[in-house]
Amino acid sequence: MFVVGSGARHLEDEIKALGGRILDAEIKRFPDGEKYVRVLGSSEEVTLVQSTFKPQDEHLVEMILLADALREGGVQKLRAVVPYLAYSRQDRVTKEGEPVSVRAVMRTLAVYYDELYVFDLHNPETLKFFPGKAVNLSPARAVAEYFGEKLGEGVVLAPDKGALGRAKAVAEKLGLEYSHFHKVRVSPTEVRMEPVDVDVKGKNVLIVDDIISTGGTMIRAANLLREMGAEKVFVAATHGVFAEGAIERVSKAVDELAVTNTIPTPVSKISVVPEILKL
Amino acid sequence: MFVVGSGARHLEDEIKALGGRILDAEIKRFPDGEKYVRVLGSSEEVTLVQSTFKPQDEHLVEMILLADALREGGVQKLRAVVPYLAYSRQDRVTKEGEPVSVRAVMRTLAVYYDELYVFDLHNPETLKFFPGKAVNLSPARAVAEYFGEKLGEGVVLAPDKGALGRAKAVAEKLGLEYSHFHKVRVSPTEVRMEPVDVDVKGKNVLIVDDIISTGGTMIRAANLLREMGAEKVFVAATHGVFAEGAIERVSKAVDELAVTNTIPTPVSKISVVPEILKL
């Protein structure tokens, strides 16, 4: 059985449509600002689906309250599916005195949850902070299906070498070429991006990344690909953590921008729900 | 050493003035809404002071992030002083499917904190949910000091029998009489409050409670005391969780309203900081 938190309400209809059975949850706010939750019904095993985009902290605390209610109701096995995990980019100490915030989040979830499933975690190594079973799901199949026909015999590119695995996963599902951008210092003050070992001339190109926030990198990459003679330029990302105006800026620079629905945005056209139903 | 969260900034100057040494903490928000925290310096033992009034969930998550930073920085013993503990009124399951939210909060805090100190917890029995040392501090001394002179040879009253211990604690510090209100059914449709076994005529009265939210009970009690010939009527509470307009309504009905600074409000005239410094 599924329970859907307020950060995954946008996935609820599709979960039902694909045959997922849902225990209804009442989630409201008291006048003093505290959340009130209540789960109607119970089951031996429950999968809570909750995405933890903004307001992140409310979505996280709600997960703890819902889990307490579920355990109180007799749930034996409790899984958390967190399509977008808040604090996942705060994955290391860069200045003395900082926390590893994603560790704090995972340890907190582990108080109640036996298993944790996330999508395309910014740093998959941080899964080790969750003491139970922790799985990083890939949206590659969903991204490949969405862009496959539009891409044709195109190329899949990662914005940097670290993201190459993501481009590879999508490309292999479509039987296409893949590569990544690297940075070339063209003068003491100027660095330019360049795709490595691939000819984009006359080809459609899909750039894939995990998160788009300002979209600056994507826009620079898209402009460069056009200069190099690319045909259509598409941009896909798993998590649309868009800064103010970013959707419009990226959309203007490319032929199509699409992200998954781990976070609901106007361009969340790729659904991860089928992957959740497979668990 | 103390570390002060954003829900206890209003206590920081007084902590310093009373000799408390503070490790500075940087607390800000990223554009995507996530909190960023950093603690400057470290110590073997740290007491984090953080009150968790609205926005409760942000204040709670901040406690976890700060604690992760402190543990990362080598803190061995970590105490949490939470003057106002969010979710403390959600202390039992009243309808099937509900959580015991205060339990969820305490279990979460226990991931990082060895000891927990709160003030005037709504239901002190819930301290058992914190696996480490958990202490319910009393503001009685502070309340008695604040109102002692104003009360003179007055009476201290609790709004109901369950709150009698609170009135007793204040009264005993001042060597005064104490009692509580009870409800008397005066007709099939009318219930009125009445103070038990105490003559308030010509006396100053202090009503003490743990939390004021709407203030309705306090206003009814104050009006009744006036009818019974009480001289001055004062109202004190530990936590000023005031609903919209409640401060004004209660203030109009009584001679003086004062709450402690567990939550910063315009009438938080009684400080709990000396109690914190004694720990």
Side-chain angles (χ1 to χ4, degrees), chain A residues 11 14 83 119 139 142 238 260-262 270-277:
Chain A
L11 307 177
E14 194 182 351
F119 276 90
T238 310
T260 81
N261 56 1
T262 59
I270 305 170
S271 181
V272 297
V273 171
E275 309 296 332
I276 294 172
L277 268 290

Side-chain angles (χ1 to χ4, degrees), chain B residues 1-3 23 39 42-49 63-81 109-117 130 132-133:
Chain B
M1 295 293 268
F2 289 95
V3 168
L23 292 175
V39 181
S42 191
S43 175
E44 276 275 302
E45 291 190 22
V46 167
T47 299
L48 183 107
V49 186
M63 288 186 75
I64 297 300
L65 301 180
L66 283 166
D68 190 273
L70 288 164
R71 290 292 190 193
E72 175 78 24
V75 172
Q76 294 301 306
K77 188 174 174 190
L78 188 51
R79 304 196 290 187
V81 173
L109 293 179
V111 172
Y112 283 98
Y113 292 91
D114 301 309
E115 300 180 358
L116 174 65
Y117 298 80
F130 187 83
K133 183 181 176 187

Side-chain angles (χ1 to χ4, degrees), chain A residues 26 29-41 52 54 56-62 64-66 68-72 84-90 93-105 107-108 111-112 241 243, chain B residues 26 29-41 52 54 56-62 64-66 68-72 84-90 93-105 107-108 111-112 241 243:
Chain A
E26 186 185 345
R29 192 191 297 280
F30 283 117
D32 68 356
E34 284 181 9
K35 283 277 179 79
Y36 167 89
V37 308
R38 185 181 172 208
V39 180
L40 306 173
T52 54
K54 193 176 180 177
Q56 293 90 346
D57 298 349
E58 286 186 32
H59 287 143
L60 287 170
V61 171
E62 203 181 289
I64 297 299
L65 301 181
L66 284 166
D68 190 272
L70 289 163
R71 291 291 190 192
E72 175 78 25
Y84 177 68
L85 185 70
Y87 294 100
S88 56
R89 286 185 286 183
Q90 296 192 49
V93 173
T94 53
K95 284 187 212 164
E96 203 180 335
E98 288 177 350
V100 180
S101 300
V102 68
R103 170 177 65 194
V105 168
R107 284 191 184 163
T108 296
V111 172
Y112 284 98
V241 187
Chain B
E26 185 185 347
R29 192 190 297 279
F30 282 117
D32 68 357
E34 284 181 9
K35 283 276 180 80
Y36 167 88
V37 307
R38 185 181 173 209
V39 181
L40 307 173
T52 54
K54 193 176 182 178
Q56 293 89 345
D57 298 349
E58 287 186 31
H59 287 144
L60 287 170
V61 171
E62 202 182 291
I64 297 300
L65 301 180
L66 283 166
D68 190 273
L70 288 164
R71 290 292 190 193
E72 175 78 24
Y84 178 68
L85 185 71
Y87 294 99
S88 56
R89 284 185 287 181
Q90 296 192 50
V93 173
T94 54
K95 285 187 211 163
E96 203 179 337
E98 288 177 352
V100 180
S101 300
V102 68
R103 170 176 63 194
V105 168
R107 284 192 184 162
T108 297
V111 172
Y112 283 98
V241 187

Side-chain angles (χ1 to χ4, degrees), chain A residues 15 76 80 94 153 172 195 213 220 239 242 246 248 254 258 269:
Chain A
I15 291 172
Q76 294 301 305
T94 53
E153 294 303 304
E172 287 186 340
S213 44
R220 276 193 301 279
H239 311 295
F242 293 112
E248 295 70 24
V254 303
K269 299 179 273 189

Side-chain angles (χ1 to χ4, degrees), chain A residues 59-273:
Chain A
H59 287 143
L60 287 170
V61 171
E62 203 181 289
M63 288 186 75
I64 297 299
L65 301 181
L66 284 166
D68 190 272
L70 289 163
R71 291 291 190 192
E72 175 78 25
V75 172
Q76 294 301 305
K77 189 176 174 187
L78 188 50
R79 303 197 290 187
V81 173
V82 189
Y84 177 68
L85 185 70
Y87 294 100
S88 56
R89 286 185 286 183
Q90 296 192 49
D91 62 339
R92 69 195 70 199
V93 173
T94 53
K95 284 187 212 164
E96 203 180 335
E98 288 177 350
V100 180
S101 300
V102 68
R103 170 177 65 194
V105 168
M106 289 192 185
R107 284 191 184 163
T108 296
L109 293 179
V111 172
Y112 284 98
Y113 292 92
D114 300 310
E115 299 180 358
L116 174 65
Y117 297 81
V118 297
F119 276 90
D120 208 352
L121 193 64
H122 187 65
N123 177 356
E125 278 185 30
T126 57
L127 284 176
K128 70 175 184 232
F129 295 128
F130 188 82
K133 183 181 176 187
V135 178
N136 190 27
L137 300 167
S138 168
R141 189 203 50 75
V143 171
E145 275 181 17
Y146 184 85
F147 276 110
E149 211 165 307
K150 298 176 188 194
L151 257 179
E153 294 303 304
V155 178
V156 184
L157 289 178
D160 55 57
K161 197 171 179 183
L164 185 62
R166 208 170 278 115
K168 183 183 176 195
V170 173
E172 287 186 340
K173 294 203 188 297
L174 297 169
L176 298 179
E177 258 190 299
Y178 64 91
S179 184
H180 64 91
F181 284 86
H182 68 166
K183 284 174 180 153
V184 185
R185 188 165 291 279
V186 290
S187 82
T189 56
E190 201 191 342
V191 170
R192 66 175 269 157
M193 290 173 75
E194 214 168 67
V196 173
D197 292 336
V198 70
D199 184 7
V200 298
K201 198 166 179 182
K203 291 185 191 157
N204 294 332
V205 181
L206 171 66
I207 318 172
V208 293
D209 207 351
D210 62 338
I211 294 177
I212 303 185
S213 44
T214 64
T217 303
M218 289 301 197
I219 293 169
R220 276 193 301 279
N223 291 340
L224 182 72
L225 290 169
R226 302 234 192 256
E227 281 172 34
M228 298 176 81
E231 193 64 30
K232 289 192 168 172
V233 178
F234 306 111
V235 163
T238 310
H239 311 295
V241 187
F242 293 112
E244 180 84 29
I247 293 182
E248 295 70 24
R249 287 193 301 272
V250 176
S251 296
K252 223 191 306 188
V254 303
D255 289 281
E256 184 174 354
L257 163 67
V259 296
T260 81
N261 56 1
T262 59
I263 300 174
T265 79
V267 291
S268 295
K269 299 179 273 189
I270 305 170
S271 181
V272 297
V273 171

